[in-house]
Short mmCIF file of all heavy atoms in Angstrom, two decimals:
data_model
loop_
_atom_site.label_atom_id
_atom_site.label_comp_id
_atom_site.label_asym_id
_atom_site.label_seq_id
_atom_site.Cartn_x
_atom_site.Cartn_y
_atom_site.Cartn_z
N ASP A 1 -47.92 13.49 -34.77
CA ASP A 1 -48.61 13.36 -33.48
C ASP A 1 -47.89 14.18 -32.41
O ASP A 1 -46.76 13.89 -32.04
CB ASP A 1 -48.65 11.89 -33.07
CG ASP A 1 -49.58 11.64 -31.90
OD1 ASP A 1 -50.15 12.62 -31.36
OD2 ASP A 1 -49.74 10.47 -31.50
N ILE A 2 -48.56 15.21 -31.90
CA ILE A 2 -47.98 16.01 -30.81
C ILE A 2 -48.47 15.51 -29.45
O ILE A 2 -48.07 16.07 -28.42
CB ILE A 2 -48.30 17.51 -30.98
CG1 ILE A 2 -49.80 17.78 -30.92
CG2 ILE A 2 -47.71 18.03 -32.28
CD1 ILE A 2 -50.16 19.26 -30.94
N ASP A 3 -49.28 14.48 -29.45
CA ASP A 3 -49.73 13.86 -28.20
C ASP A 3 -49.13 12.48 -28.00
O ASP A 3 -49.46 11.78 -27.05
CB ASP A 3 -51.26 13.75 -28.19
CG ASP A 3 -51.93 15.11 -28.25
OD1 ASP A 3 -51.52 15.99 -27.49
OD2 ASP A 3 -52.87 15.28 -29.06
N GLY A 4 -48.25 12.08 -28.93
CA GLY A 4 -47.61 10.77 -28.84
C GLY A 4 -46.26 10.86 -28.15
O GLY A 4 -46.16 11.26 -27.00
N VAL A 5 -45.19 10.50 -28.87
CA VAL A 5 -43.83 10.57 -28.34
C VAL A 5 -43.21 11.88 -28.82
O VAL A 5 -43.04 12.10 -30.03
CB VAL A 5 -42.98 9.38 -28.81
CG1 VAL A 5 -41.56 9.48 -28.26
CG2 VAL A 5 -43.63 8.07 -28.38
N VAL A 6 -42.90 12.75 -27.89
CA VAL A 6 -42.43 14.10 -28.21
C VAL A 6 -41.04 14.30 -27.62
O VAL A 6 -40.81 14.08 -26.43
CB VAL A 6 -43.38 15.18 -27.68
CG1 VAL A 6 -42.88 16.57 -28.05
CG2 VAL A 6 -44.80 14.95 -28.20
N ALA A 7 -40.11 14.74 -28.45
CA ALA A 7 -38.74 15.01 -28.01
C ALA A 7 -38.57 16.47 -27.62
O ALA A 7 -39.10 17.37 -28.28
CB ALA A 7 -37.75 14.66 -29.12
N SER A 8 -37.83 16.69 -26.53
CA SER A 8 -37.49 18.05 -26.10
C SER A 8 -36.18 18.01 -25.34
O SER A 8 -35.71 16.94 -24.96
CB SER A 8 -38.61 18.63 -25.22
OG SER A 8 -38.45 20.03 -25.07
N GLN A 9 -35.58 19.18 -25.14
CA GLN A 9 -34.30 19.21 -24.45
C GLN A 9 -34.49 19.05 -22.95
O GLN A 9 -35.44 19.57 -22.35
CB GLN A 9 -33.54 20.50 -24.73
CG GLN A 9 -32.10 20.46 -24.18
CD GLN A 9 -31.30 21.69 -24.55
OE1 GLN A 9 -31.84 22.70 -24.96
NE2 GLN A 9 -29.98 21.61 -24.39
N THR A 10 -33.56 18.34 -22.34
CA THR A 10 -33.59 18.06 -20.91
C THR A 10 -33.66 19.35 -20.08
O THR A 10 -32.98 20.33 -20.37
CB THR A 10 -32.33 17.28 -20.49
OG1 THR A 10 -32.26 16.08 -21.26
CG2 THR A 10 -32.34 16.94 -19.01
N SER A 11 -34.52 19.34 -19.07
CA SER A 11 -34.59 20.42 -18.07
C SER A 11 -34.91 21.77 -18.67
O SER A 11 -34.32 22.79 -18.31
CB SER A 11 -33.28 20.50 -17.28
OG SER A 11 -33.03 19.30 -16.61
N THR A 12 -35.86 21.81 -19.59
CA THR A 12 -36.30 23.08 -20.18
C THR A 12 -37.78 23.29 -19.89
O THR A 12 -38.50 22.36 -19.51
CB THR A 12 -36.08 23.08 -21.70
OG1 THR A 12 -36.86 22.02 -22.29
CG2 THR A 12 -34.62 22.87 -22.05
N ILE A 13 -38.24 24.52 -20.12
CA ILE A 13 -39.67 24.77 -19.97
C ILE A 13 -40.46 23.98 -21.00
O ILE A 13 -41.61 23.62 -20.76
CB ILE A 13 -40.01 26.28 -20.07
CG1 ILE A 13 -39.42 26.91 -21.33
CG2 ILE A 13 -39.56 27.01 -18.84
CD1 ILE A 13 -39.81 28.37 -21.51
N GLN A 14 -39.83 23.69 -22.13
CA GLN A 14 -40.51 22.89 -23.15
C GLN A 14 -40.71 21.44 -22.69
O GLN A 14 -41.79 20.87 -22.86
CB GLN A 14 -39.74 22.93 -24.46
CG GLN A 14 -39.78 24.27 -25.17
CD GLN A 14 -38.75 25.25 -24.66
OE1 GLN A 14 -37.73 24.85 -24.07
NE2 GLN A 14 -38.97 26.53 -24.88
N SER A 15 -39.67 20.85 -22.11
CA SER A 15 -39.81 19.46 -21.65
C SER A 15 -40.81 19.36 -20.50
O SER A 15 -41.58 18.40 -20.42
CB SER A 15 -38.46 18.88 -21.23
OG SER A 15 -37.91 19.57 -20.13
N ALA A 16 -40.84 20.36 -19.63
CA ALA A 16 -41.82 20.37 -18.54
C ALA A 16 -43.24 20.45 -19.10
O ALA A 16 -44.16 19.79 -18.61
CB ALA A 16 -41.55 21.54 -17.60
N TYR A 17 -43.42 21.26 -20.15
CA TYR A 17 -44.73 21.40 -20.77
C TYR A 17 -45.18 20.08 -21.38
O TYR A 17 -46.34 19.66 -21.22
CB TYR A 17 -44.68 22.48 -21.84
CG TYR A 17 -45.98 22.69 -22.59
CD1 TYR A 17 -46.94 23.55 -22.09
CD2 TYR A 17 -46.23 22.03 -23.79
CE1 TYR A 17 -48.13 23.75 -22.78
CE2 TYR A 17 -47.42 22.21 -24.48
CZ TYR A 17 -48.37 23.07 -23.96
OH TYR A 17 -49.55 23.25 -24.63
N VAL A 18 -44.28 19.40 -22.08
CA VAL A 18 -44.62 18.10 -22.70
C VAL A 18 -45.00 17.10 -21.62
O VAL A 18 -45.99 16.36 -21.76
CB VAL A 18 -43.45 17.57 -23.54
CG1 VAL A 18 -43.73 16.15 -24.02
CG2 VAL A 18 -43.19 18.48 -24.74
N ALA A 19 -44.23 17.05 -20.54
CA ALA A 19 -44.51 16.09 -19.47
C ALA A 19 -45.89 16.32 -18.87
O ALA A 19 -46.60 15.37 -18.52
CB ALA A 19 -43.44 16.20 -18.39
N GLU A 20 -46.28 17.59 -18.75
CA GLU A 20 -47.59 17.90 -18.17
C GLU A 20 -48.72 17.73 -19.17
O GLU A 20 -49.89 17.67 -18.77
CB GLU A 20 -47.57 19.34 -17.65
CG GLU A 20 -46.63 19.54 -16.46
CD GLU A 20 -46.49 20.99 -16.07
OE1 GLU A 20 -47.13 21.85 -16.73
OE2 GLU A 20 -45.72 21.28 -15.13
N SER A 21 -48.39 17.64 -20.46
CA SER A 21 -49.44 17.55 -21.48
C SER A 21 -50.04 16.17 -21.61
O SER A 21 -51.10 16.00 -22.23
CB SER A 21 -48.85 17.96 -22.85
OG SER A 21 -48.00 16.93 -23.36
N GLY A 22 -49.37 15.16 -21.06
CA GLY A 22 -49.84 13.79 -21.19
C GLY A 22 -49.17 13.02 -22.29
O GLY A 22 -49.34 11.80 -22.41
N ALA A 23 -48.37 13.71 -23.13
CA ALA A 23 -47.60 13.02 -24.16
C ALA A 23 -46.43 12.27 -23.51
O ALA A 23 -46.07 12.53 -22.36
CB ALA A 23 -47.08 14.03 -25.18
N THR A 24 -45.83 11.36 -24.27
CA THR A 24 -44.64 10.66 -23.80
C THR A 24 -43.42 11.50 -24.12
O THR A 24 -43.15 11.80 -25.29
CB THR A 24 -44.51 9.28 -24.49
OG1 THR A 24 -45.66 8.49 -24.17
CG2 THR A 24 -43.25 8.56 -24.02
N LEU A 25 -42.69 11.91 -23.10
CA LEU A 25 -41.55 12.80 -23.26
C LEU A 25 -40.26 12.00 -23.46
O LEU A 25 -39.95 11.11 -22.68
CB LEU A 25 -41.41 13.70 -22.03
CG LEU A 25 -40.13 14.53 -21.92
CD1 LEU A 25 -40.06 15.56 -23.05
CD2 LEU A 25 -40.06 15.22 -20.56
N LEU A 26 -39.51 12.35 -24.51
CA LEU A 26 -38.14 11.88 -24.69
C LEU A 26 -37.23 13.09 -24.54
O LEU A 26 -37.37 14.08 -25.27
CB LEU A 26 -37.94 11.28 -26.08
CG LEU A 26 -38.56 9.91 -26.37
CD1 LEU A 26 -38.16 9.47 -27.78
CD2 LEU A 26 -38.10 8.88 -25.35
N GLU A 27 -36.28 13.03 -23.58
CA GLU A 27 -35.39 14.16 -23.34
C GLU A 27 -34.00 13.89 -23.90
O GLU A 27 -33.47 12.78 -23.79
CB GLU A 27 -35.29 14.43 -21.84
CG GLU A 27 -36.57 14.99 -21.23
CD GLU A 27 -36.40 15.38 -19.78
OE1 GLU A 27 -36.26 14.46 -18.94
OE2 GLU A 27 -36.38 16.58 -19.48
N TYR A 28 -33.43 14.93 -24.49
CA TYR A 28 -32.08 14.85 -25.06
C TYR A 28 -31.27 16.04 -24.58
O TYR A 28 -31.82 17.10 -24.25
CB TYR A 28 -32.15 14.82 -26.59
CG TYR A 28 -32.84 13.60 -27.14
CD1 TYR A 28 -34.22 13.59 -27.33
CD2 TYR A 28 -32.11 12.45 -27.44
CE1 TYR A 28 -34.86 12.45 -27.82
CE2 TYR A 28 -32.74 11.32 -27.94
CZ TYR A 28 -34.11 11.33 -28.13
OH TYR A 28 -34.74 10.20 -28.61
N ALA A 29 -29.94 15.89 -24.61
CA ALA A 29 -29.06 16.91 -24.05
C ALA A 29 -28.94 18.14 -24.94
O ALA A 29 -28.73 19.25 -24.44
CB ALA A 29 -27.67 16.32 -23.79
N THR A 30 -29.06 17.98 -26.26
CA THR A 30 -28.85 19.10 -27.17
C THR A 30 -29.97 19.19 -28.20
O THR A 30 -30.68 18.21 -28.47
CB THR A 30 -27.51 18.96 -27.93
OG1 THR A 30 -27.60 17.85 -28.84
CG2 THR A 30 -26.35 18.74 -26.97
N GLY A 31 -30.08 20.37 -28.81
CA GLY A 31 -31.08 20.57 -29.84
C GLY A 31 -30.85 19.70 -31.06
O GLY A 31 -31.80 19.21 -31.68
N ASP A 32 -29.58 19.48 -31.42
CA ASP A 32 -29.29 18.65 -32.59
C ASP A 32 -29.80 17.22 -32.40
O ASP A 32 -30.25 16.58 -33.36
CB ASP A 32 -27.78 18.63 -32.85
CG ASP A 32 -27.26 19.97 -33.35
OD1 ASP A 32 -28.07 20.77 -33.82
OD2 ASP A 32 -26.04 20.19 -33.26
N GLU A 33 -29.75 16.73 -31.18
CA GLU A 33 -30.23 15.37 -30.91
C GLU A 33 -31.74 15.27 -31.09
O GLU A 33 -32.26 14.19 -31.42
CB GLU A 33 -29.84 14.95 -29.50
CG GLU A 33 -28.35 14.70 -29.31
CD GLU A 33 -28.00 14.37 -27.88
OE1 GLU A 33 -27.90 15.31 -27.06
OE2 GLU A 33 -27.83 13.18 -27.58
N LEU A 34 -32.45 16.36 -30.89
CA LEU A 34 -33.91 16.35 -31.09
C LEU A 34 -34.23 16.08 -32.56
O LEU A 34 -35.14 15.29 -32.88
CB LEU A 34 -34.52 17.70 -30.68
CG LEU A 34 -34.27 18.19 -29.26
CD1 LEU A 34 -34.97 19.52 -29.04
CD2 LEU A 34 -34.73 17.15 -28.25
N ILE A 35 -33.50 16.73 -33.45
CA ILE A 35 -33.74 16.56 -34.88
C ILE A 35 -33.39 15.14 -35.31
O ILE A 35 -34.09 14.51 -36.11
CB ILE A 35 -32.93 17.58 -35.69
CG1 ILE A 35 -33.19 19.01 -35.16
CG2 ILE A 35 -33.28 17.48 -37.17
CD1 ILE A 35 -34.65 19.39 -35.08
N ALA A 36 -32.30 14.61 -34.75
CA ALA A 36 -31.91 13.23 -35.07
C ALA A 36 -32.97 12.24 -34.61
O ALA A 36 -33.28 11.26 -35.32
CB ALA A 36 -30.57 12.91 -34.41
N ALA A 37 -33.56 12.48 -33.43
CA ALA A 37 -34.61 11.59 -32.92
C ALA A 37 -35.86 11.65 -33.79
O ALA A 37 -36.52 10.62 -34.02
CB ALA A 37 -34.95 11.97 -31.48
N LEU A 38 -36.17 12.82 -34.28
CA LEU A 38 -37.33 12.97 -35.18
C LEU A 38 -37.09 12.20 -36.48
O LEU A 38 -37.95 11.43 -36.92
CB LEU A 38 -37.57 14.45 -35.47
CG LEU A 38 -38.73 14.77 -36.41
CD1 LEU A 38 -40.07 14.38 -35.78
CD2 LEU A 38 -38.72 16.26 -36.78
#
């Protein structure tokens, strides 16, 4: 689900895009943490 809970790195263009998409954004400090969250 790309419209559900989506992880992205804090303060990036990717996290801003997710926030504007209507999905639930989870922000993490590093890329490795994104994979762990998935």
Side-chain angles (χ1 to χ4, degrees):
D1 191 357
I2 62 174
D3 297 313
V5 179
V6 181
S8 194
Q9 189 175 16
T10 303
S11 299
T12 61
I13 52 176
Q14 290 84 23
S15 64
Y17 179 87
V18 172
E20 293 172 1
S21 74
T24 300
L25 170 65
L26 287 183
E27 291 186 289
Y28 296 88
T30 68
D32 290 342
E33 289 176 280
L34 303 181
I35 308 307
L38 179 66

